[in-house]
Amino acid sequence: MSSLDLSPAHFRRLADRVSTLAEEWLEELDTRRIAPDITGAASEAMFSEGLPEQGLGDASLDALKPLMAGTRAGNARFLAYVFGSGEPVGVLGDYVASVVNQNVTAWRSAPTVVSLERSVVRSLANAVGCPGFTGSFTGGGSSANMMGLAMAREALAPANEDGSPSGVMYASAEVHMSIPKAVALLGLGRKNLRLIPTDAQWRMRPDALVKAIEEDRAAGRRPIAVIATAGTVNTGAVDPLRDVARIVREHGLWMHVDGAYGALAAMAHPEKFEGLGEADSLSMDAHKWLYQPADCGVLLFRDAKAARRAFSFTGDYARSLTADAVEGFAFFDESMELSRRARALKVWLSVRFHGLAAFRESIRRDVANAKRLEGLVRETPALELLAPATLSAVCFRYRAGLEDAQLDDFNTKLLAHINRRGRVYISNATLEGRFSLRACFVNHRTTPEDVTTVPREVLAAAEELKAL
């Protein structure tokens, strides 16, 4: 027996200890300070000894409790990032995925888990209004966005005659930072990403998009793709997808939708996402608005041939030896990944347990909670709303007794003070040069009572800050 192996009974003892820690974490989650009382120096000191030469055995698990105590608690009032709340049944699915430890790269390497993933992808595509789309699970929206844009480039502008990449892509000025990264990594260069102005609701302006495309064509440049956003990270704005789709078709371009934040909300609010099904490719994050443990992104696409054109490059060692459509299937022919974790397993188990209807209702509650906070901000004279809650992000600031020149500095300090108090945890955005406090609701635990805590905490923290 290898020294790395454990007997099933020994594994069970260790798993029971971890399960007890998990139970305590979930039981105490709502009463924990969200921001841990730990400094950077203290966190570094916890791990300063590095990895041991000789194993600690069962005692190695002793370090888990202080590690968990030193991290942020994603409870009902954690409203900072667009990051899911870790639905518990999904956690169990992740556990099973680690135990079976399949490389979900081809049917022959993980038969049932590959079929499971393909089924879950089809179901999610149907649920968000993209019937007939296929795709795969990814590490997150960043990798899904990069793969979608790689498909666009290979479909419309694979390379110049000398082998150098060419082409221009378009996105709104509110685009997520993963898009400039993807354009750079694809070799197009960030100068070939044109940022299109937005309207008063922070959405891409169709007229400005048409103008940019026509200007580039007149200058001899080659438009490739338009990246529409379904849920901008700052305000949750959804670009006019149907208008963008019409422009893309008229100009023979590729339409990619960055829906990492918002697209899964189409399950509950399809009226906010009209035109989503006209995309050529679409990114979504199940570890955001499907509340799953990270990592759990999704790339959907209309045409699997376009995915294979971009990613199929199979060495003889990986060549399929069957012509059967199922048994010969390989995700690595449609993805940049070769080794792939069983990410879909937690989604499958979670949705089997709760049902899609429960997730739709939870998304509706999040959207309603955002509107509730928007209303409270409007009703509070000391606060100023900076952007409407079009999806589930609310941007506002404190301004009572402050001159305009003081607002950014005070609210920057106020954000840190709010989060240090540990009762709520929010983040920030910059809108038209103005520093904004930002609460984003993608948390299945949040209740209306939690929402009312946010303005109370902001006002209390502001009074403390003024008294310093």
Side-chain angles (χ1 to χ4, degrees), residues 52-64:
E53 182 63 30
Q54 300 300 321
L56 305 177
D58 289 14
S60 61
L61 272 62
D62 296 345
L64 289 177

Side-chain angles (χ1 to χ4, degrees), residues 239-292:
D239 286 335
L241 302 175
R242 183 144 286 161
D243 289 340
V244 171
R246 174 182 52 78
I247 294 166
V248 163
R249 299 294 171 249
E250 288 175 357
H251 290 270
L253 308 182
W254 184 280
M255 180 178 173
H256 176 74
V257 175
D258 176 7
Y261 165 13
L264 279 160
M267 290 171 38
H269 287 284
E271 75 282 357
K272 294 179 180 288
F273 300 90
E274 292 183 3
L276 186 65
E278 298 183 51
D280 294 295
S281 54
L282 164 66
S283 67
M284 307 189 299
D285 272 353
H287 63 226
K288 291 186 172 70
W289 230 339
L290 215 56
Y291 312 106
Q292 297 300 304

Side-chain angles (χ1 to χ4, degrees), residues 109-333:
S109 62
T112 56
V113 187
V114 165
S115 290
L116 177 152
E117 180 168 335
R118 296 179 74 187
S119 172
V120 172
V121 166
R122 289 193 299 268
S123 295
L124 291 180
N126 288 334
V128 299
C130 297
F133 281 48
T134 56
S136 62
F137 277 76
T138 68
S142 294
S143 55
N145 283 334
M146 187 165 74
M147 287 198 290
L149 298 186
M151 290 169 60
R153 186 194 63 186
E154 292 305 300
L156 297 179
N160 290 317
E161 289 184 4
D162 63 1
S164 63
S166 67
V168 184
M169 295 186 176
Y170 307 83
S172 91
E174 291 291 298
V175 73
H176 188 262
M177 65 180 180
S178 63
I179 298 299
K181 285 186 179 183
V183 173
L185 288 168
L186 290 171
L188 296 174
R190 294 187 183 184
K191 63 182 176 59
N192 282 318
L193 175 64
R194 294 282 301 271
L195 298 182
I196 307 302
T198 58
D199 62 18
Q201 284 75 49
W202 312 97
R203 304 174 306 171
M204 182 191 296
R205 282 174 40 200
D207 63 319
L209 174 61
V210 171
K211 182 181 178 184
I213 293 170
E214 291 176 346
E215 286 176 349
D216 282 332
R217 281 226 162 102
R221 292 185 284 268
R222 189 176 189 179
I224 300 175
V226 179
I227 301 101
T229 303
T232 59
V233 70
N234 282 333
T235 67
V238 179
D239 286 335
L241 302 175
R242 183 144 286 161
D243 289 340
V244 171
R246 174 182 52 78
I247 294 166
V248 163
R249 299 294 171 249
E250 288 175 357
H251 290 270
L253 308 182
W254 184 280
M255 180 178 173
H256 176 74
V257 175
D258 176 7
Y261 165 13
L264 279 160
M267 290 171 38
H269 287 284
E271 75 282 357
K272 294 179 180 288
F273 300 90
E274 292 183 3
L276 186 65
E278 298 183 51
D280 294 295
S281 54
L282 164 66
S283 67
M284 307 189 299
D285 272 353
H287 63 226
K288 291 186 172 70
W289 230 339
L290 215 56
Y291 312 106
Q292 297 300 304
D295 57 17
C296 201
V298 183
L299 174 67
L300 298 179
F301 39 78
R302 177 184 301 281
D303 183 6
K305 292 178 182 176
R308 290 192 287 272
R309 185 184 302 115
F311 303 116
S312 181
F313 188 81
T314 304
D316 189 64
Y317 53 86
R319 182 168 56 89
S320 174
L321 301 179
T322 177
D324 184 90
V326 174
E327 296 180 16
F329 177 80
F331 277 117
F332 59 70
D333 280 332

